[in-house]
Amino acid sequence: MRITQSLTGGVDISATILDLANVEKPKTWDGVSLLPILQDNKKQVRTSLPHIQVWGPEPTRNLALLDGRYKYIYWYYQDEALGLTPTEELYDLQNDPFELTNIANHSTHSQTLKNMRKLYDQQIQQWQHQTLNYNEYAEYGHLLNRDLSWSEKLKILQIKGIADKS
């Protein structure tokens, strides 16, 4: 059995299979080959990994970004009746693997939060430029944008019929 601490995701499996078959993966694929890790379990093939959750009830949708040690999550949804406001979470997975303590507002982690926001924003830009306009995925490039106001996000939800028009 081989164990690695390398950051990987399910999206990497198809890229690995293509690499094993000596077939070049399309440039637009997010996955990366895991062959370097299979050859040396200490290798790293990525510096960050997005975790996209855009199914289920709207308030549960978010984008998380992992960098191997930290996990940053942005919840964009707002609903005063439910007490929901856009929220950030930051977890130190090395010291808090069960994600019990949100450190986003701890001053000792302000630089880490800034770094994770930067990675997150880069992921949103990539999403906006590469996502197909299918099944409302393109809209989430805007809904998950930290810099877009809730009123602008609500308009997107209403136009697409994702939220009630009120």
Side-chain angles (χ1 to χ4, degrees):
M1 174 174 32
R2 291 185 185 186
I3 297 174
T4 183
Q5 296 298 312
S6 300
L7 184 59
T8 64
V11 69
D12 299 326
I13 294 170
S14 57
T16 304
I17 292 169
L18 290 178
D19 195 10
L20 283 166
N22 289 320
V23 174
E24 188 174 333
K25 75 175 178 83
K27 291 181 183 359
T28 57
W29 281 22
D30 292 330
V32 296
S33 175
L34 301 176
L35 283 186
I37 297 171
L38 293 174
Q39 295 162 354
D40 178 357
N41 67 344
K42 302 234 185 279
K43 289 244 180 178
Q44 298 291 327
V45 294
R46 51 171 69 245
T47 57
S48 65
L49 179 70
H51 181 270
I52 302 159
Q53 203 309 75
V54 291
W55 56 89
E58 203 66 32
T60 67
R61 299 179 185 196
N62 67 76
L63 175 62
L65 193 74
L66 296 94
D67 76 351
R69 177 167 180 182
Y70 294 98
K71 180 178 185 180
Y72 172 84
I73 308 169
Y74 177 68
W75 303 86
Y76 81 91
Y77 197 77
Q78 182 170 317
D79 185 329
E80 291 177 22
L82 294 175
L84 299 174
T85 59
T87 303
E88 295 177 298
E89 296 179 21
L90 180 65
Y91 298 99
D92 180 344
L93 300 176
Q94 181 179 333
N95 294 312
D96 181 18
F98 298 111
E99 302 173 25
L100 299 174
T101 305
N102 179 4
I103 58 173
N105 295 320
H106 294 192
S107 61
T108 56
H109 297 285
S110 61
Q111 188 58 48
T112 300
L113 180 61
K114 183 178 177 180
N115 293 342
M116 293 303 286
R117 283 176 175 164
K118 183 178 178 182
L119 287 172
Y120 179 93
D121 293 344
Q122 290 170 350
Q123 184 64 43
I124 290 296
Q125 287 178 342
Q126 181 179 346
W127 188 325
Q128 291 172 345
H129 290 102
Q130 293 183 349
T131 299
L132 297 174
N133 191 13
Y134 172 76
N135 209 18
E136 297 158 350
Y137 290 128
E139 284 76 19
Y140 285 94
H142 302 291
L143 294 170
L144 293 166
N145 183 335
R146 296 180 316 103
D147 297 323
L148 205 60
S149 72
W150 174 245
S151 61
E152 293 170 295
K153 293 174 183 184
L154 188 56
K155 287 178 191 173
I156 294 168
L157 290 168
Q158 290 173 341
I159 289 169
K160 289 298 186 180
I162 301 171
D164 293 332
K165 295 179 174 145
S166 42

